[in-house]
Amino acid sequence: MSLPLPQHAARFLLLASFSSASVLAQQTPAQALAEWEVQGRADGLARPDTECQDFLQAMGRKPPGLQYVGCSQDDASYIKPMEAHYRVSGAQAAQVEAYLHRAFGLPALRYVCCGWSNGAPYYWREGPDAVRYQIGMGVDSLPYERGEWQRIEAFNVTVEVLRQSP
C-alpha cells in the first residue's frame, strides 16, 4: 500500500533533512576549515579548530588583576560557542572595567535592578577579517555605589566566540 502524495512528500523531506544533518555532522576538519575560509572569517567566527582557552591572554590583552577561571564550550549547539570565564575582586573591578573600556570600548557598568553590568551584549572586533568577541562584565549584588565596590567579593567577566553562523 502506498502513501497518499502529500504524506509521501513530507516523509521524503523529513528523510532528506536527516540525511543533510548527517552530512554536516560528518564534515572533515579540512572541509570545516575550507568553509570557514570562504565565509566564516568574514562573519567574525573563530576558526573551527580553535581551542577553548583564555582568549584575553591569547590576544595579549589580559588586564592585571583579572583571574582566568576556565572555558566552556557547547559543541551540541548549532553556533558552537566557547566562553572564557574570569573573576576580578571588587577592589580591582574599577581598574579592570577601565582597561576593558580603553582596550575594547566596553560600555561603563551600570546598576540596574539587582546588579552591575555593561547592559546589552557588547561585541568587539579588531578588523574585518578578525574574530568577533562578545565581552561582558557584571555581578549580581546589593546596590553598592561605585566607591563601595570593594564590598563586593568579585565581578565576573566573560569573553565568548562563535565557531558557526546562526
Side-chain angles (χ1 to χ4, degrees), residues 78-147:
Y78 183 74
I79 57 175
K80 299 190 183 315
M82 286 193 263
E83 187 174 66
H85 307 274
Y86 304 86
R87 288 175 57 93
V88 60
S89 70
Q92 294 182 296
Q95 291 90 342
V96 169
E97 176 196 26
Y99 175 87
L100 295 174
H101 177 73
R102 283 190 315 275
F104 304 105
L106 184 75
L109 302 186
R110 295 177 307 148
Y111 190 88
V112 177
C113 168
C114 313
W116 288 93
S117 87
N118 59 282
Y122 178 75
Y123 298 94
W124 177 84
R125 195 170 178 184
E126 194 163 19
D129 282 342
V131 173
R132 182 178 77 151
Y133 295 90
Q134 181 177 327
I135 303 170
M137 181 174 178
V139 63
D140 290 338
S141 76
L142 296 172
Y144 296 119
E145 297 293 324
R146 281 181 171 275

Side-chain angles (χ1 to χ4, degrees), residues 66-84:
L66 189 61
Q67 176 190 5
Y68 175 67
V69 177
C71 190
S72 60
Q73 67 186 61
D74 184 358
D75 290 334
S77 168
Y78 183 74
I79 57 175
K80 299 190 183 315
M82 286 193 263
E83 187 174 66

